[in-house]
């Protein structure tokens, strides 16, 4: 596996379910990101981790809970979601948080909340 | 907060021709970074080109070049000799200056994207 991988690629869940999205990067990067991509809206930054510490939480509802156990893995734990949370969730990584660094994106998890 | 505007939801161009995608942004910062990312259908988003605001020279990457107008806060992408593989969503993105000291906003601020269609 190379680059940034995400599992599952597709997820359908009910509003009372608990699920987790997984992201793994094989690039030796120190910073990882979660973005939300909704139809007809710009990508929205959700969380940033640098060296396994969360450095930003963009006022994301508490029903989204990130976890970064090491610099290669990033999780997004989901519980009691709403239908408006249906979107493509993208994970990205970069060498560090330096502003000019390219962010490498995963393929995304397409989430549908019923 | 910074905002990024892409006023063209969709553009169409004939194969081998040139197309320009527009992007404007709003910021009070004097130094920042601008990016164009490409998202092909069902494929991962990849970086096309990037520009540092303090550099006056426009960035180029093979068939891709930018027209960076700092005073006008404009950052357009020109694709020359368009190819079928260029068909994708193109996103313009802004990033604030270095944040390693703890200040500033992290991550990228994206526009809504432009869907580029290549006509064979």
């Amino acid at each position: 596996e190379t680059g940034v991988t995400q599992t599952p690629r597709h997820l359908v869940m009910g509003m009372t379910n608990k699920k987790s999205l997984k992201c793994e990067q094989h690039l030796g990067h120190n910073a990882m990101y979660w973005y939300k991509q909704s139809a007809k809206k710009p990508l929205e930054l959700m969380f940033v981790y640098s060296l396994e510490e969360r450095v930003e939480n963009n006022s994301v509802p508490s029903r989204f809970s990130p976890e970064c156990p090491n610099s290669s893995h990033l999780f997004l734990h989901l519980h009691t979601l709403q239908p408006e949370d249906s979107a493509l969730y993208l994970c990205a990584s970069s060498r560090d948080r330096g502003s000019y660094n390219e962010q490498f994106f995963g393929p995304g998890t397409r989430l549908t909340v019923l | 907060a910074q905002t990024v505007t892409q006023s063209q939801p969709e553009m169409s161009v004939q194969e081998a021709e040139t197309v320009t995608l527009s992007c404007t942004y709003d910021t009070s910062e004097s130094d920042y970074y601008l990016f164009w990312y490409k998202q092909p259908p069902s494929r991962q988003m990849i970086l096309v080109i990037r520009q540092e605001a303090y550099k006056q020279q426009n960035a180029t990457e093979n068939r891709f070049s930018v027209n960076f107008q700092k005073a006008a806060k404009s950052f357009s992408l020109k694709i020359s000799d368009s190819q079928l593989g260029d068909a994708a969503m193109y996103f313009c993105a802004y990033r604030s200056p270095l944040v390693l000291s703890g200040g500033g906003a992290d991550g990228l601020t994206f526009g809504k994207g432009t869907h580029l269609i290549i006509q064979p």
Side-chain angles (χ1 to χ4, degrees):
Chain A
E1 295 268 23
T2 59
V4 181
T5 58
Q6 291 185 244
T7 55
R9 294 294 305 275
H10 299 271
L11 178 62
V12 179
M13 59 187 290
M15 293 168 61
T16 57
N17 291 157
K18 288 185 180 181
K19 297 287 185 183
S20 295
L21 310 185
K22 178 183 176 182
C23 174
E24 184 173 0
Q25 58 94 359
H26 310 268
L27 301 168
H29 289 167
N30 290 321
M32 297 187 77
Y33 311 80
W34 279 117
Y35 288 90
K36 176 183 179 182
Q37 186 175 25
S38 305
K40 303 192 187 304
K41 290 179 67 176
L43 276 80
E44 301 168 74
L45 177 67
M46 299 176 72
F47 299 104
V48 181
Y49 276 83
S50 175
L51 296 171
E52 302 148 46
E53 289 189 16
R54 188 193 303 180
V55 295
E56 182 157 333
N57 170 359
N58 267 4
S59 303
V60 178
S62 60
R63 57 185 182 269
F64 295 91
S65 175
E67 178 191 2
C68 188
N70 54 62
S71 60
S72 298
H73 294 86
L74 185 65
F75 295 89
L76 188 62
H77 304 299
L78 317 171
H79 64 98
T80 59
L81 294 192
Q82 304 297 311
E84 60 265 29
D85 297 323
S86 298
L88 182 67
Y89 288 84
L90 294 172
C91 174
S93 72
S94 62
R95 187 181 65 188
D96 55 44
R97 289 169 57 212
S99 299
Y100 197 59
N101 287 336
E102 177 181 356
Q103 291 190 14
F104 292 79
F105 286 81
T109 294
R110 175 69 63 188
L111 174 66
T112 302
V113 181
L114 301 176
Chain B
Q2 294 79 27
T3 58
V4 177
T5 302
Q6 293 180 249
S7 59
Q8 306 152 317
E10 186 173 281
M11 291 283 285
S12 181
V13 63
Q14 290 289 130
E15 194 176 0
E17 295 190 347
T18 296
V19 63
T20 299
L21 308 183
S22 65
C23 172
T24 58
Y25 55 93
D26 186 26
T27 183
S28 58
E29 295 169 325
S30 59
D31 192 20
Y32 45 85
Y33 305 86
L34 297 164
F35 303 81
W36 278 99
Y37 278 85
K38 167 186 176 181
Q39 188 178 36
S42 302
R43 295 182 62 187
Q44 290 165 246
M45 192 172 317
I46 58 173
L47 178 68
V48 175
I49 198 166
R50 55 186 160 180
Q51 175 85 37
E52 297 170 78
Y54 66 86
K55 287 189 176 178
Q56 294 186 343
Q57 185 172 10
N58 289 325
T60 62
E61 289 286 345
N62 300 313
R63 297 182 296 106
F64 298 88
S65 61
V66 299
N67 183 6
F68 174 49
Q69 301 290 327
K70 191 172 184 180
K73 296 180 183 176
S74 172
F75 183 61
S76 61
L77 175 69
K78 185 172 82 171
I79 306 174
S80 304
D81 185 25
S82 299
Q83 301 176 359
L84 294 177
D86 295 332
M89 284 292 293
Y90 285 80
F91 294 95
C92 179
Y94 174 104
R95 192 165 192 192
S96 290
L98 195 65
V99 296
L100 297 181
S101 62
D106 227 311
L108 294 162
T109 300
F110 284 88
K112 290 186 178 181
T114 296
H115 180 210
L116 179 63
I117 299 168
I118 310 295
Q119 306 278 4

